Short mmCIF file of all heavy atoms in Angstrom, two decimals:
data_model
loop_
_atom_site.label_atom_id
_atom_site.label_comp_id
_atom_site.label_asym_id
_atom_site.label_seq_id
_atom_site.Cartn_x
_atom_site.Cartn_y
_atom_site.Cartn_z
N LEU A 599 0.83 -1.22 0.00
CA LEU A 599 0.00 0.00 0.00
C LEU A 599 0.84 1.27 0.00
O LEU A 599 0.37 2.32 -0.39
CB LEU A 599 -0.92 0.01 1.23
CG LEU A 599 -2.06 -1.00 1.23
CD1 LEU A 599 -2.69 -1.07 2.63
CD2 LEU A 599 -3.11 -0.62 0.20
N SER A 600 2.08 1.17 0.45
CA SER A 600 2.95 2.34 0.66
C SER A 600 3.83 2.68 -0.53
O SER A 600 4.29 3.80 -0.63
CB SER A 600 3.84 2.11 1.88
OG SER A 600 3.08 1.84 3.01
N VAL A 601 4.07 1.75 -1.43
CA VAL A 601 5.00 1.99 -2.53
C VAL A 601 4.23 2.41 -3.79
O VAL A 601 3.06 2.10 -3.94
CB VAL A 601 5.87 0.74 -2.79
CG1 VAL A 601 6.81 0.49 -1.64
CG2 VAL A 601 5.01 -0.47 -3.08
N PRO A 602 4.91 3.14 -4.68
CA PRO A 602 4.22 3.60 -5.88
C PRO A 602 3.96 2.50 -6.91
O PRO A 602 4.72 1.50 -6.94
CB PRO A 602 5.19 4.66 -6.46
CG PRO A 602 6.53 4.23 -5.97
CD PRO A 602 6.29 3.61 -4.64
N GLU A 603 2.94 2.68 -7.70
CA GLU A 603 2.61 1.80 -8.84
C GLU A 603 2.47 0.33 -8.46
O GLU A 603 2.88 -0.56 -9.22
CB GLU A 603 3.69 1.92 -9.94
CG GLU A 603 3.72 3.29 -10.59
CD GLU A 603 4.66 3.32 -11.79
OE1 GLU A 603 4.51 2.42 -12.66
OE2 GLU A 603 5.52 4.21 -11.83
N HIS A 604 1.95 0.03 -7.28
CA HIS A 604 1.76 -1.34 -6.86
C HIS A 604 0.30 -1.72 -7.04
O HIS A 604 -0.60 -0.89 -6.85
CB HIS A 604 2.18 -1.51 -5.40
CG HIS A 604 2.45 -2.92 -5.00
ND1 HIS A 604 1.47 -3.85 -4.80
CD2 HIS A 604 3.63 -3.58 -4.84
CE1 HIS A 604 2.02 -5.02 -4.50
NE2 HIS A 604 3.33 -4.90 -4.50
N ASP A 605 0.04 -2.97 -7.36
CA ASP A 605 -1.34 -3.44 -7.47
C ASP A 605 -2.01 -3.34 -6.12
O ASP A 605 -1.38 -3.52 -5.08
CB ASP A 605 -1.36 -4.91 -7.93
CG ASP A 605 -0.83 -5.08 -9.34
OD1 ASP A 605 -0.94 -4.13 -10.14
OD2 ASP A 605 -0.32 -6.16 -9.64
N PRO A 606 -3.33 -3.07 -6.10
CA PRO A 606 -4.06 -2.96 -4.84
C PRO A 606 -4.14 -4.30 -4.09
O PRO A 606 -4.15 -5.36 -4.72
CB PRO A 606 -5.44 -2.49 -5.22
CG PRO A 606 -5.45 -2.29 -6.68
CD PRO A 606 -4.17 -2.77 -7.25
N VAL A 607 -4.18 -4.22 -2.78
CA VAL A 607 -4.37 -5.43 -1.94
C VAL A 607 -5.78 -5.96 -2.18
O VAL A 607 -6.75 -5.21 -2.10
CB VAL A 607 -4.19 -5.10 -0.45
CG1 VAL A 607 -4.47 -6.34 0.41
CG2 VAL A 607 -2.79 -4.59 -0.18
N HIS A 608 -5.88 -7.23 -2.51
CA HIS A 608 -7.18 -7.83 -2.74
C HIS A 608 -7.65 -8.63 -1.51
O HIS A 608 -8.78 -8.52 -1.07
CB HIS A 608 -7.14 -8.76 -3.93
CG HIS A 608 -8.39 -9.52 -4.19
ND1 HIS A 608 -9.57 -8.92 -4.59
CD2 HIS A 608 -8.69 -10.84 -4.07
CE1 HIS A 608 -10.52 -9.83 -4.70
NE2 HIS A 608 -10.02 -10.99 -4.40
N LYS A 609 -6.72 -9.41 -0.91
CA LYS A 609 -7.11 -10.25 0.20
C LYS A 609 -5.88 -10.64 0.99
O LYS A 609 -4.82 -10.88 0.43
CB LYS A 609 -7.79 -11.51 -0.33
CG LYS A 609 -8.43 -12.38 0.71
CD LYS A 609 -9.22 -13.47 0.06
CE LYS A 609 -10.54 -12.91 -0.44
NZ LYS A 609 -11.48 -13.89 -0.89
N VAL A 610 -6.06 -10.69 2.32
CA VAL A 610 -5.01 -11.15 3.22
C VAL A 610 -5.64 -12.23 4.11
O VAL A 610 -6.71 -12.03 4.65
CB VAL A 610 -4.45 -9.99 4.11
CG1 VAL A 610 -3.40 -10.52 5.03
CG2 VAL A 610 -3.93 -8.86 3.26
N THR A 611 -4.93 -13.36 4.21
CA THR A 611 -5.44 -14.44 5.04
C THR A 611 -4.31 -15.11 5.81
O THR A 611 -3.19 -15.17 5.27
CB THR A 611 -6.22 -15.50 4.21
OG1 THR A 611 -6.67 -16.52 5.09
CG2 THR A 611 -5.36 -16.12 3.14
N ILE A 612 -4.60 -15.55 7.01
CA ILE A 612 -3.62 -16.38 7.73
C ILE A 612 -4.12 -17.81 7.88
O ILE A 612 -3.58 -18.58 8.62
CB ILE A 612 -3.25 -15.78 9.11
CG1 ILE A 612 -4.45 -15.71 10.05
CG2 ILE A 612 -2.58 -14.43 8.97
CD1 ILE A 612 -4.08 -15.48 11.49
N ILE A 613 -5.12 -18.13 7.10
CA ILE A 613 -5.56 -19.55 7.00
C ILE A 613 -4.57 -20.20 6.05
O ILE A 613 -4.39 -19.76 4.92
CB ILE A 613 -7.00 -19.64 6.45
CG1 ILE A 613 -7.97 -19.02 7.42
CG2 ILE A 613 -7.36 -21.11 6.18
CD1 ILE A 613 -9.38 -18.85 6.90
N PRO A 614 -3.91 -21.29 6.48
CA PRO A 614 -2.95 -21.94 5.61
C PRO A 614 -3.60 -22.38 4.28
O PRO A 614 -4.70 -22.91 4.27
CB PRO A 614 -2.49 -23.18 6.42
CG PRO A 614 -2.76 -22.80 7.83
CD PRO A 614 -3.99 -21.95 7.79
N ARG A 615 -2.91 -22.09 3.18
CA ARG A 615 -3.39 -22.45 1.85
C ARG A 615 -2.24 -23.03 1.06
O ARG A 615 -1.17 -22.45 1.02
CB ARG A 615 -3.91 -21.22 1.10
CG ARG A 615 -5.23 -20.70 1.65
CD ARG A 615 -5.70 -19.51 0.81
NE ARG A 615 -7.08 -19.22 1.02
CZ ARG A 615 -8.09 -19.83 0.42
NH1 ARG A 615 -7.86 -20.79 -0.43
NH2 ARG A 615 -9.34 -19.49 0.67
N GLY A 616 -2.50 -24.17 0.41
CA GLY A 616 -1.40 -24.79 -0.34
C GLY A 616 -0.26 -25.09 0.63
O GLY A 616 -0.46 -25.67 1.69
N ARG A 617 0.93 -24.61 0.29
CA ARG A 617 2.08 -24.84 1.15
C ARG A 617 2.36 -23.63 2.04
O ARG A 617 3.30 -23.64 2.83
CB ARG A 617 3.29 -25.18 0.31
CG ARG A 617 3.11 -26.53 -0.42
CD ARG A 617 4.15 -26.82 -1.45
NE ARG A 617 5.52 -26.73 -0.92
CZ ARG A 617 6.57 -26.61 -1.68
NH1 ARG A 617 6.45 -26.55 -2.99
NH2 ARG A 617 7.78 -26.54 -1.15
N ALA A 618 1.59 -22.57 1.89
CA ALA A 618 1.85 -21.33 2.64
C ALA A 618 1.03 -21.30 3.92
O ALA A 618 -0.07 -21.80 3.98
CB ALA A 618 1.47 -20.12 1.76
N LEU A 619 1.59 -20.65 4.93
CA LEU A 619 0.88 -20.48 6.21
C LEU A 619 -0.10 -19.32 6.15
O LEU A 619 -1.04 -19.25 6.90
CB LEU A 619 1.88 -20.25 7.34
CG LEU A 619 2.84 -21.40 7.64
CD1 LEU A 619 3.79 -21.01 8.78
CD2 LEU A 619 2.08 -22.65 7.98
N GLY A 620 0.15 -18.40 5.24
CA GLY A 620 -0.73 -17.24 5.02
C GLY A 620 -0.47 -16.70 3.63
O GLY A 620 0.54 -17.03 3.00
N VAL A 621 -1.37 -15.85 3.13
CA VAL A 621 -1.24 -15.31 1.79
C VAL A 621 -1.72 -13.85 1.78
O VAL A 621 -2.75 -13.53 2.38
CB VAL A 621 -2.07 -16.12 0.76
CG1 VAL A 621 -1.99 -15.52 -0.62
CG2 VAL A 621 -1.64 -17.56 0.74
N THR A 622 -0.95 -13.01 1.09
CA THR A 622 -1.40 -11.66 0.77
C THR A 622 -1.55 -11.62 -0.73
O THR A 622 -0.58 -11.87 -1.44
CB THR A 622 -0.41 -10.61 1.25
OG1 THR A 622 -0.23 -10.74 2.66
CG2 THR A 622 -0.90 -9.19 0.94
N MET A 623 -2.74 -11.31 -1.20
CA MET A 623 -3.00 -11.36 -2.62
C MET A 623 -3.23 -9.95 -3.15
O MET A 623 -4.08 -9.21 -2.65
CB MET A 623 -4.22 -12.22 -2.91
CG MET A 623 -4.42 -12.58 -4.35
SD MET A 623 -5.58 -13.96 -4.48
CE MET A 623 -6.92 -13.11 -5.26
#
């Protein structure tokens, strides 16, 4: 959110998905 020209945050989760413990999309 703080850096220029970055895609907007769509979703943040700490529910483990796939091999990740959390995901920021």
